[in-house]
Amino acid sequence: GTNAQGILAKTIVGLRSLDYTNASLYPSGVTVDFTTRPWDHAATITSPIAAGDTNDMVFDATGSVVRQTVASGNAVVQKFDLVLRFLGERGGGGAGDPTGGTNPKAKGTLDLLWQVTSRGSANIPSSGISFTQSREALGIQSRSQD
């Protein structure tokens, strides 16, 4: 699909594939750097906002408030990027462990390891001020969730 869940799901399927470098596996706007880093099963979903855009939000200097539009003030451009990285498969200890798993469907399969990094930023192009925040999570997806 073209919604956020559809883009995320199609990207995950592409990264897990044996031929993850196949560009047709990914939705438009998703970047996979398999040319310079073929070992890295990572994809970036990027906000379609350039750092120099000035139509996002503005800081109204007259009222010291942030608004969507105002006649005067500095534009604040917000951006959010998501990096998904497939780290491989693992067995044992998780929900897919043949000896300790709780879901019979998952027995004898390997769990999937993922790394997700989110990067948010707020830029004020007219002043050259920029703020960036990153968060990272590692997780296991049980094959029983497929």
Side-chain angles (χ1 to χ4, degrees):
T2 56
N3 60 24
Q5 288 177 332
I7 291 170
L8 187 61
K10 192 168 182 184
T11 302
I12 287 172
V13 169
L15 289 174
R16 283 179 28 196
S17 74
L18 294 176
D19 181 22
Y20 90 102
T21 61
N22 184 349
S24 67
L25 295 174
Y26 303 96
S28 100
V30 174
T31 305
V32 180
D33 188 13
F34 49 77
T35 304
T36 59
R37 297 180 354 190
W39 62 89
D40 189 9
H41 284 233
T44 304
I45 302 171
T46 307
S47 295
I49 299 170
D53 284 353
T54 58
N55 59 353
D56 187 21
M57 295 177 65
V58 293
F59 178 74
D60 184 354
T62 59
S64 296
V65 293
V66 175
R67 303 180 184 207
Q68 291 297 329
T69 59
V70 72
S72 63
N74 295 322
V76 179
V77 180
Q78 297 183 95
K79 185 174 175 155
F80 179 79
D81 300 328
L82 192 64
V83 179
L84 301 171
R85 181 168 282 112
F86 179 54
L87 299 176
E89 299 174 325
R90 77 179 271 288
D97 183 357
T99 59
T102 57
N103 186 334
K105 180 180 173 186
K107 289 190 176 189
T109 63
L110 298 172
D111 295 333
L112 307 174
L113 300 174
W114 293 95
Q115 175 190 32
V116 180
T117 306
S118 65
R119 294 185 303 236
S121 67
N123 300 316
I124 306 175
S126 61
S127 65
I129 298 173
S130 178
F131 303 94
T132 303
Q133 176 74 36
S134 289
R135 299 241 189 252
E136 184 174 275
L138 297 172
I140 297 174
Q141 175 191 11
S142 169
R143 276 289 173 91
S144 62
Q145 297 173 358
D146 282 356

